[in-house]
Amino acid sequence: MVELVQRLRKAGAGAGLSNEAFHKLSALLTMLILVFVFAFGNDAFFSVNNGLTILLQTSVIGLLGIGLTMVIITGGIDLSVGSVLALSGTVTGLAVKAGVPVVPGMFLGILVGAACGVVNGLIITKMRITPFVATLGMMLMARGLALQLTGAAPISQLGKAFGVLGNGSLFRMVEMQENGFPKVIFPGIPYPAILLIVVAIAAAYLLRRRALGRHIYATGSNEEAARLSGVVVDRTKIMAYAMSGALAGLAGIVLMSRLITAQPNEGVMAELDAIAAAVIGGASLMGGVGTISGTMIGAFIIGILRNGLNMAGVSSFIQQIIIGAVVILAVYVDQLRSKR
Amino acid sequence: MTSSPTHPTPLVEMTDIEKHFGGVRAVNGVSLDLNPGEVVGVLGHNGAGKSCLMRILSGAMIPNGGMIKVNGRPVTISSPHDARKLGIETIYQTLALADHLDAPANLFLGRELKTRFGNLDEKRMLDEARKVLRRLNPNFHNLGDAVSSLSGGQRQVIAIARAIYFDVKILIMDEPTAALGPSETAMVADLIKRLSAEGIGIFLVSHDMHDVFALCDRVMVMNKGVNVGSHRIDEVTKDDVLSLIIKGALPDDWTPRNLEVAL
Ligand SMILES: Nc1ncnc2c1ncn2[C@@H]1O[C@H](COP(=O)(O)OP(=O)(O)O)[C@@H](O)[C@H]1O
Ligand SMILES: [Mg+2]
């Protein structure tokens, strides 16, 4: 195994592939193998409908994963995204319940998420608390606040408009049949999937084409060097955590909209799926390394794994074991490839 | 000595600079100045406080006391950004490169060139980087590689290029040739001569006596955080300087070298 990876790596280098491209390629290959295996085992897996289901399920992990990627590239970690997701979703739910129109209510939720991220960033940069501890604290505080605000009860009957973002889709085609029943010709592309693609492109643009993105990489690569080069390291980090928080808020709104219920208990352990997606996609917890496209592949690997295992009737306990093993394997392969 | 008729105002005047780490007095009341076009060697053992003094001037370290004037005006340098605005550029002993980024990204880190829309202007940064790096090392080809994969010499060349590319008036070089081969070292020596001829003031921290005597107009020797001697290069010998470095004092029978010659 070790030898195989190293031999492949050498072949990759010979073909002019960078480490990053090699990792992405191997992740992509893993994803295709998964699709192939699951499709072979179950005809229903390889259908338009199931493809869209996977897209939908991956959108939440994907949104969280994009935020985490930015934080991980700075050399940090954000354990609070699962709880912030719940807090933002419930704040939106409460606001809508109180009569705020859906769109401003949703913006409020994203704002709450961003605010949590800014607080994370301030605790890390100004109080000099490590990201692990700071965001662990925020994980507890945001969850506690969500439970306190709602009395731990879900908020339902939020109205039809609240469910559009999570359940609607673009280009949905329905035809009335002669017998009076509608027939779905094309189920449409779910809004959450479109949102994920838009956010992914925006994040990749930010990381690759803007100075802030460059500073995010520099900060994670060598914080002292970044500082000496005139990069305002603190502000860069705060921005990364703010974006992670805002995306957690967005993910929360998408999820609660899909359920048409604001659930203060949603998103428990979602941060772990998101971290796994980033790491499988090649982000290094040491900082300085990571891409949005890699994280998207990572998110889809997790989404496909869960979906395929579900369809194969594998219990959620076994799924956890498998995903845990996949994460360790991904990091191990990553270490092998970057060994000099 | 600092106010000779050709140099009415020194570029830099550091007065009674202090830096403590707990009980350690890394810099203990050091005063030092620098005139336009002058190369001042900063010498001393490892741990003498040279890097600390230089880092204070470049904004990487905040002093506990003392005053800094640039062009005769008192200044507060509280970040590397402040220093750069005053035209102070630094080649750090640690090089201060972001390992995962390539040479152009490191060269322009913190001062990226941008297009009209505020996007990174990668093409212009690559072109400019190629120009300035090739001037220092004609064999510099792998501009797209992460700098972690480059040789020590190439990395040092990037750090040097970054300090001279922008509008430098005061250049701090903290052991700039430590990782360089002979030809690159010669290139840096030429560069120092050229820059000082342009009126740029240079602090050169170095252990290489040959370089120091070939390039510097003046030397300042530090010992345990204290300035133990500041001399024109033509009034001391290598042995005098070594005595300052090792003992913290000139040889007992010392007289200025140029006086000796005159006698
Ligand atoms: N960041 C720091 N924290 C604590 N002590 C330091 C720090 N930087 C330097 N020192 C101490 O200050 C003294 C001077 O160091 P330095 O200026 O690096 O010496 P030099 O460059 O002359 O070799 C040394 O004793 C060193 O251990
Ligand atoms: Mg030093």
Side-chain angles (χ1 to χ4, degrees), chain B residues 105-160:
Chain B
N106 269 288
L107 189 63
F108 289 97
L109 187 57
R111 329 181 239 205
E112 291 79 7
L113 302 181
K114 292 177 194 159
T115 65
R116 256 183 317 138
F117 308 105
N119 293 331
L120 295 173
D121 195 340
E122 305 278 11
K123 190 182 166 329
R124 204 149 56 92
M125 286 194 274
L126 178 64
D127 290 345
E128 293 294 302
R130 183 177 292 123
K131 262 190 263 167
V132 60
L133 291 171
R134 291 267 174 88
R135 210 156 58 214
L136 292 164
N137 174 353
N139 300 318
F140 209 123
H141 293 295
N142 25 7
L143 280 110
D145 293 358
V147 299
S148 60
S149 68
L150 302 181
S151 71
Q154 285 182 310
R155 292 164 60 84
Q156 201 135 30
V157 162
I158 298 169
I160 294 169

Side-chain angles (χ1 to χ4, degrees), chain B residues 157-215:
Chain B
V157 162
I158 298 169
I160 294 169
R162 177 167 64 179
I164 61 166
Y165 177 80
F166 300 91
D167 190 20
V168 54
K169 298 194 177 63
I170 298 152
L171 180 59
I172 301 168
M173 308 175 97
D174 197 347
E175 311 205 11
T177 55
L180 296 185
S183 68
E184 284 161 319
T185 303
M187 201 87 72
V188 172
D190 282 347
L191 180 74
I192 290 173
K193 285 180 202 153
R194 203 181 73 220
L195 292 174
S196 71
E198 287 171 18
I200 291 161
I202 299 173
F203 283 122
L204 175 64
V205 180
S206 178
H207 286 293
D208 188 320
M209 280 302 149
H210 176 78
D211 282 355
V212 168
F213 274 81
L215 299 169

Side-chain angles (χ1 to χ4, degrees), chain B:
Chain B
M1 184 176 80
T2 52
S3 46
S4 64
T6 44
H7 306 136
T9 356
L11 272 178
V12 180
E13 296 162 85
M14 291 190 275
T15 315
D16 295 328
I17 302 294
E18 298 275 344
K19 181 68 196 181
H20 314 151
F21 295 104
V24 179
R25 295 181 168 264
V27 181
N28 195 356
V30 171
S31 299
L32 178 63
D33 37 54
L34 180 69
N35 294 304
E38 195 179 28
V39 182
V40 172
V42 178
L43 312 183
H45 267 313
N46 274 334
K50 309 179 296 289
S51 290
C52 285
L53 184 66
M54 294 298 111
R55 287 166 70 87
I56 286 166
L57 183 59
S58 61
M61 203 177 252
I62 309 297
N64 297 102
M67 194 177 68
I68 300 177
K69 284 188 188 172
V70 171
N71 290 318
R73 292 223 324 269
V75 292
T76 310
I77 302 174
S78 46
S79 72
H81 188 70
D82 288 351
R84 284 179 164 189
K85 275 195 298 198
L86 294 165
I88 302 171
E89 293 285 343
T90 310
I91 300 161
Y92 292 97
Q93 190 172 4
T94 56
L95 303 186
L97 300 176
D99 273 343
H100 300 94
L101 302 183
D102 61 14
N106 269 288
L107 189 63
F108 289 97
L109 187 57
R111 329 181 239 205
E112 291 79 7
L113 302 181
K114 292 177 194 159
T115 65
R116 256 183 317 138
F117 308 105
N119 293 331
L120 295 173
D121 195 340
E122 305 278 11
K123 190 182 166 329
R124 204 149 56 92
M125 286 194 274
L126 178 64
D127 290 345
E128 293 294 302
R130 183 177 292 123
K131 262 190 263 167
V132 60
L133 291 171
R134 291 267 174 88
R135 210 156 58 214
L136 292 164
N137 174 353
N139 300 318
F140 209 123
H141 293 295
N142 25 7
L143 280 110
D145 293 358
V147 299
S148 60
S149 68
L150 302 181
S151 71
Q154 285 182 310
R155 292 164 60 84
Q156 201 135 30
V157 162
I158 298 169
I160 294 169
R162 177 167 64 179
I164 61 166
Y165 177 80
F166 300 91
D167 190 20
V168 54
K169 298 194 177 63
I170 298 152
L171 180 59
I172 301 168
M173 308 175 97
D174 197 347
E175 311 205 11
T177 55
L180 296 185
S183 68
E184 284 161 319
T185 303
M187 201 87 72
V188 172
D190 282 347
L191 180 74
I192 290 173
K193 285 180 202 153
R194 203 181 73 220
L195 292 174
S196 71
E198 287 171 18
I200 291 161
I202 299 173
F203 283 122
L204 175 64
V205 180
S206 178
H207 286 293
D208 188 320
M209 280 302 149
H210 176 78
D211 282 355
V212 168
F213 274 81
L215 299 169
C216 296
D217 301 303
R218 214 150 40 96
V219 289
M220 188 276 273
V221 182
M222 287 183 77
N223 190 301
K224 300 198 179 91
V226 177
N227 174 351
V228 291
S230 208
H231 297 276
R232 289 225 319 270
I233 200 76
D234 57 5
E235 62 182 22
V236 284
T237 61
K238 284 183 190 171
D239 287 342
D240 296 339
V241 173
L242 285 174
S243 169
L244 278 169
I245 292 173
I246 295 162
K247 287 199 302 179
L250 287 161
D252 299 333
D253 57 351
W254 181 78
T255 47
R257 182 164 63 123
N258 51 355
L259 268 184
E260 249 167 47
V261 173
L263 282 172

Side-chain angles (χ1 to χ4, degrees), chain A residues 237-286:
Chain A
K237 286 188 187 173
I238 293 169
M239 288 296 285
Y241 286 94
M243 288 187 286
S244 176
L247 288 177
L250 183 62
I253 289 158
V254 169
L255 189 58
M256 311 279 173
S257 167
R258 198 160 91 212
L259 305 169
I260 324 185
T261 310
Q263 288 268 17
N265 281 316
E266 270 299 333
V268 174
M269 299 221 292
E271 58 280 345
L272 299 184
D273 270 1
I275 293 168
V279 168
I280 290 173
S284 160
L285 293 173
M286 306 296 289

